[in-house]
């Protein structure tokens, strides 16, 4: 994707940030505790499996979650990354 395409897609998922090399998007959360962090990761994992588009999931400091989306097959971003990001946002908003 071009920088302009990425910028347009990011408008639909404003909580996500693009990496410096434009190859991935990332969103982070600071959850209440370890259990809440694991719940988020479980829900995202189930969504990712249903979508057959698997992000990198990170849990650090027992409650800090980061999710990174990229399309490994093309070595960069695709429209599907933004679709899954929007679905993750909806999932998180529904849980709040």
């Amino acid at each position: 994707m071009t920088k302009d395409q990425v910028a347009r897609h990011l408008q639909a998922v404003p909580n996500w940030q693009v990496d410096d090399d434009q190859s991935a998007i990332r969103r982070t959360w600071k959850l209440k505790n370890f259990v809440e962090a694991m719940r988020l990761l479980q829900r995202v994992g189930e969504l990712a499996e249903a979508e057959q588009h698997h992000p990198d999931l990170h849990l650090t400091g027992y409650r800090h979650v980061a999710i990174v989306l990229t399309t490994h097959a093309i070595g960069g971003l695709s429209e599907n990354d933004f679709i899954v990001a929007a679905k993750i946002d909806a999932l998180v908003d529904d849980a709040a």
Side-chain angles (χ1 to χ4, degrees):
M1 293 188 126
T2 67
K3 276 189 169 189
D4 288 340
Q5 289 171 316
V6 170
R8 280 195 305 276
H9 281 84
L10 277 175
Q11 291 175 2
V13 288
N15 293 316
W16 293 77
Q17 299 167 341
V18 65
D19 286 355
D20 290 339
D21 65 359
Q22 301 277 313
S23 66
I25 55 174
R26 157 189 308 270
R27 183 169 175 193
T28 60
W29 292 263
K30 182 178 178 182
L31 285 297
K32 188 176 186 180
N33 54 45
F34 179 77
V35 172
E36 292 298 317
M38 291 303 297
R39 269 194 202 120
L40 172 62
L41 291 172
Q42 180 65 36
R43 292 183 74 191
V44 170
E46 290 168 1
L47 171 70
E49 188 62 19
E51 294 292 318
Q52 288 298 296
H53 194 68
H54 303 99
D56 294 337
L57 305 175
H58 305 271
L59 173 63
T60 57
Y62 81 89
R63 65 181 184 153
H64 299 271
V65 171
I67 298 176
V68 179
L69 284 160
T70 188
T71 301
H72 298 284
I74 64 169
L77 288 166
S78 71
E79 186 174 354
N80 201 32
D81 295 307
F82 294 93
I83 291 168
V84 172
K87 289 182 178 189
I88 291 170
D89 286 349
L91 184 80
V92 171
D93 292 344
D94 288 346

